[in-house]
Amino acid sequence: MMQADTIRSLIEAGLPGAQVQVFGDDGAHFEAVVIAEQFQGQTLVKRHQQVYACLGERMREEIHALQLRTLSPSEVAGRP
C-alpha cells in the first residue's frame, strides 16, 4: 500500500527543489500539489509527464489515481 509521504519523497527526489504536498489516506488515490521551477514555460501535459516520471512503474501498479496541480513559482506569485 502506497503512502502519501512516499509519493512526496519520490517527486522531491525527481524534481530537486520542488515544493510538494500530497494528500490521500486510502493507499491508492492521491492528490498532489507540486510547485517547481522546472515547470516554467512547460505545458500542463509536460508538467504531468515530469511528475509521472518521478513515480515510474508505481503509477501502473500501486497508485490507482493521482490528481495533480502543477505550478511554477512565478505562477504561485501571480506572475506569468
Side-chain angles (χ1 to χ4, degrees):
M1 189 158 96
M2 184 63 67
Q3 300 294 320
D5 285 341
T6 303
I7 294 172
R8 181 185 47 76
S9 295
L10 290 166
I11 296 171
E12 289 174 343
L15 295 169
Q19 298 174 32
V20 182
Q21 293 180 307
V22 180
F23 309 95
D25 59 5
D26 71 356
H29 302 87
F30 300 93
E31 178 181 347
V33 178
V34 184
I35 302 167
E37 190 66 44
Q38 296 91 324
F39 295 154
Q40 187 66 39
Q42 296 291 320
T43 66
L44 185 63
V45 170
K46 293 284 185 190
R47 293 173 183 198
H48 287 201
Q49 288 173 339
Q50 288 179 57
V51 174
Y52 295 149
C54 298
L55 301 172
E57 288 297 313
R58 290 173 182 89
M59 283 302 300
R60 290 192 183 102
E61 298 169 5
E62 299 172 67
I63 303 168
H64 296 285
L66 177 63
Q67 180 179 348
L68 289 173
R69 182 157 187 232
T70 53
L71 302 159
S72 69
S74 62
E75 290 169 327
V76 172
R79 300 184 313 261

